[in-house]
Amino acid sequence: MIELILLDVDGTLSDGKIYYNDVGEEIKVFDVKDGLGLRVWKKLGRKSAIITGRKSPIVEKRAKELEVDEIFMGVENKAEVVSILQEKYSLSQEQIACIGDDCNDLPMFKKSGLKFAPSNAVEEIKERADILLDKNGGDGAVRAMIEYLMREEGLEGKWIEIFT
């Protein structure tokens, strides 16, 4: 059973593009379906963590809105963070799933039991993913990952139960 999901940001929770407004402020676009999926995951008593190479107050704000358990920004070696979380929560590698879209996610892939890739991930990630999703990053890929995990555990009915 997966207890912890690890999320890259650019290219998974967002579309991977970096937008700036006319005064130079960064803008990111997030899919509300991903957000709802993360809220359901939390209601199931499961953990989530964001591990991203960039630092962004927008990501921090979104993570807090969704009650993501852990957020690590400015990370160069994602494997080190996975080891920290694995120890903190006393998890085996098989209890950890991750989603990533580019080569900087490969260290995270090596330390996770189940690896997901959005449909628009780079080939190096697609080749190493256990599950290739039919959704692009920033367009429901994280939600698709969570739905897959819930189906694997026979929890599909929990969506309705949680919201009624």
Side-chain angles (χ1 to χ4, degrees):
M1 175 169 43
I2 300 297
E3 295 291 336
L4 172 65
I5 56 174
L6 307 174
L7 312 166
D8 175 45
V9 176
D10 295 318
T12 55
L13 276 172
S14 78
D15 63 7
K17 295 180 175 101
I18 300 170
Y19 303 89
Y20 294 100
N21 67 16
D22 58 353
V23 293
E25 297 170 323
E26 184 177 341
I27 300 165
K28 289 189 184 291
V29 178
F30 299 100
D31 190 308
V32 294
K33 291 178 184 72
D34 288 338
L36 190 62
L38 285 166
R39 287 180 186 260
V40 167
W41 187 253
K42 179 85 170 173
K43 288 179 184 289
L44 292 173
R46 310 295 172 84
K47 302 263 186 239
S48 62
I50 286 175
I51 306 174
T52 181
R54 299 187 73 239
K55 293 181 182 179
S56 170
I58 297 166
V59 171
E60 190 170 14
K61 177 179 174 37
R62 185 66 174 148
K64 286 180 182 175
E65 285 176 352
L66 298 175
E67 300 177 16
V68 172
D69 297 286
E70 305 277 351
I71 181 166
F72 295 85
M73 295 191 291
V75 176
E76 288 190 31
N77 185 345
K78 294 183 179 189
E80 292 173 359
V81 175
V82 179
S83 294
I84 290 166
L85 293 170
Q86 188 175 3
E87 185 176 328
K88 178 177 181 175
Y89 293 113
S90 302
L91 299 173
S92 69
Q93 185 171 339
E94 292 73 31
Q95 293 175 294
I96 301 171
C98 71
I99 183 169
D101 72 306
D102 213 335
C103 294
N104 63 331
D105 297 314
L106 289 172
M108 181 172 67
F109 267 41
K110 287 182 181 177
K111 301 282 286 181
S112 299
L114 191 58
K115 298 159 279 297
F116 291 82
S119 60
N120 61 338
V122 299
E123 286 305 313
E124 293 83 358
I125 289 290
K126 288 180 179 180
E127 291 168 2
R128 290 162 178 81
D130 299 307
I131 309 296
L132 181 57
L133 300 164
D134 64 354
K135 300 285 186 184
N136 283 341
D139 194 25
V142 172
R143 168 77 172 255
M145 176 180 85
I146 292 167
E147 287 177 348
Y148 176 92
L149 293 170
M150 290 177 69
R151 272 192 311 276
E152 286 296 299
E153 292 186 38
L155 299 174
E156 307 94 320
K158 288 287 186 182
W159 286 96
I160 304 300
E161 187 179 311
I162 285 171
F163 293 105
T164 54

